[in-house]
Amino acid sequence: MAKQHVSPPSVDAPVKSTAQPQGAGLLSRLPIQAQIGLIALISCAGMAVFGVSTLIALQDASAQSANDAHPALVALFAVILTVTIMAAFFIGRAISKPLASAANTLQQLAEGNVAVDINGAGRRDEIGAIWRSVETLQTVITENLRLTQMVDGMPINVMTADPVDFTINYLNQTSLDTLKKIEHLLPCKVEEMLGQCIDIFHKHPDHQRRLLADPANLPHQANIALGDEILDLRVSAITDAGGRYIGPMVSWSIVTEQVKADRESK
């Protein structure tokens, strides 16, 4: 069963910060490639030191017994290996921790919580670029939530549909309230409307599908009969920032009495 539209949460002002996260220093100013390269450099340097030390130890071993030289080599290798692993761990953590923080912030934004801190926008590396993109997304989501709440509260019936399969993907609260008044004429319950295809309103839906599939046909106005009621439909095209058609928006009203009055006056 399709879930009934629920008004989005109230929109709080987003919290923005250009301060760098705690612990961000010289390393955070380096590009990601440089940070990874630094790990490799430290590892190579460690192995080089180990190699030189091994040669020196082998030379010294010629004057000592093999049993005396072996423990020294093992201890030296263990120290170098430990330093290399620790350096790789701390540098890797410096990269992974801010990425995890950005992922958590994105999850909160996806859930409609726009009052989240943007802590890494001041960084000069690729992670800083990610945070600045998150900050832009925060602004867009905040504006969309604000507009959605405005449309929900408007005294006009509004619904939208998917441009491919023509399923209803949005009904504002006014539409839900108005549909309740004529629920006995609908092919399904009002709470089941979201997710239904517009075909349920038409005996021969091919014409409506062709009309709504092409934004060049819009805007469009028509009156349709729904039982003993007459609905006035005004359809317009919704496009994204790039001008791509993302679906039709229908503002509608019940005009039965108005149409009857117009007919009687003629």
Side-chain angles (χ1 to χ4, degrees):
M1 179 182 296
K3 185 170 68 175
Q4 184 177 354
H5 168 77
V6 178
S7 296
S10 59
V11 181
D12 298 323
V15 179
K16 298 183 179 180
S17 173
T18 57
Q20 293 192 12
Q22 185 176 3
L26 178 61
L27 184 63
S28 67
R29 298 175 182 270
L30 298 176
I32 293 296
Q33 293 92 333
Q35 295 178 30
I36 295 174
L38 184 58
I39 296 175
L41 180 62
I42 292 174
S43 299
C44 291
M47 296 307 296
V49 171
F50 172 71
V52 172
S53 300
T54 300
L55 290 175
I56 295 173
L58 287 174
Q59 291 177 354
D60 293 341
S62 62
Q64 300 177 8
S65 65
N67 291 334
D68 293 336
H70 180 69
L73 288 175
V74 173
L76 179 61
F77 177 77
V79 170
I80 295 173
L81 183 62
T82 300
V83 172
T84 302
I85 291 175
M86 290 181 64
F89 170 78
F90 285 111
I91 294 176
R93 189 170 183 270
I95 298 172
S96 63
K97 188 175 180 180
L99 289 177
S101 178
N104 179 63
T105 299
L106 286 171
Q107 180 62 38
Q108 293 188 59
L109 289 175
E111 294 172 357
N113 178 21
V114 297
V116 292
D117 292 329
I118 304 297
N119 291 322
R123 293 177 61 126
R124 299 179 183 179
D125 57 4
E126 286 84 350
I127 292 177
I130 291 174
W131 274 112
R132 286 187 289 276
S133 296
V134 172
E135 188 175 59
T136 301
L137 182 62
Q138 180 189 46
T139 301
V140 172
I141 292 176
T142 300
E143 184 62 22
N144 285 344
L145 286 175
R146 182 180 292 110
L147 291 175
T148 299
Q149 292 186 26
M150 289 172 58
V151 174
D152 259 345
M154 290 172 58
I156 301 173
N157 303 304
V158 176
M159 66 174 65
T160 63
D162 185 273
V164 178
D165 58 14
F166 301 103
T167 55
I168 299 171
N169 53 23
Y170 174 75
L171 290 157
N172 74 338
Q173 188 59 48
T174 306
S175 282
L176 295 172
D177 295 340
T178 305
L179 287 170
K180 271 294 184 182
K181 300 175 182 178
I182 56 173
E183 189 173 39
H184 61 287
L185 301 174
L186 300 175
C188 66
K189 297 291 186 181
V190 171
E191 56 268 21
E192 299 173 357
M193 290 286 293
L194 201 63
Q196 294 286 348
C197 181
I198 63 170
D199 292 354
I200 63 176
F201 295 105
H202 309 283
K203 293 181 179 179
H204 306 288
D206 290 343
H207 170 70
Q208 283 75 20
R209 281 177 166 266
R210 287 193 299 270
L211 177 72
L212 299 179
D214 187 356
N217 297 324
L218 306 177
H220 178 77
Q221 186 277 332
N223 286 354
I224 66 169
L226 181 63
D228 55 356
E229 298 286 359
I230 299 176
L231 307 183
D232 173 51
L233 308 181
R234 299 178 184 271
V235 190
S236 57
I238 304 175
T239 59
D240 63 15
R244 184 176 66 90
Y245 180 49
I246 57 177
M249 179 183 71
V250 182
S251 59
W252 63 280
S253 58
I254 302 174
V255 294
T256 309
E257 296 302 323
Q258 179 183 338
V259 170
K260 287 182 179 179
D262 290 343
R263 289 175 181 173
E264 292 173 357
S265 64
K266 294 181 180 179

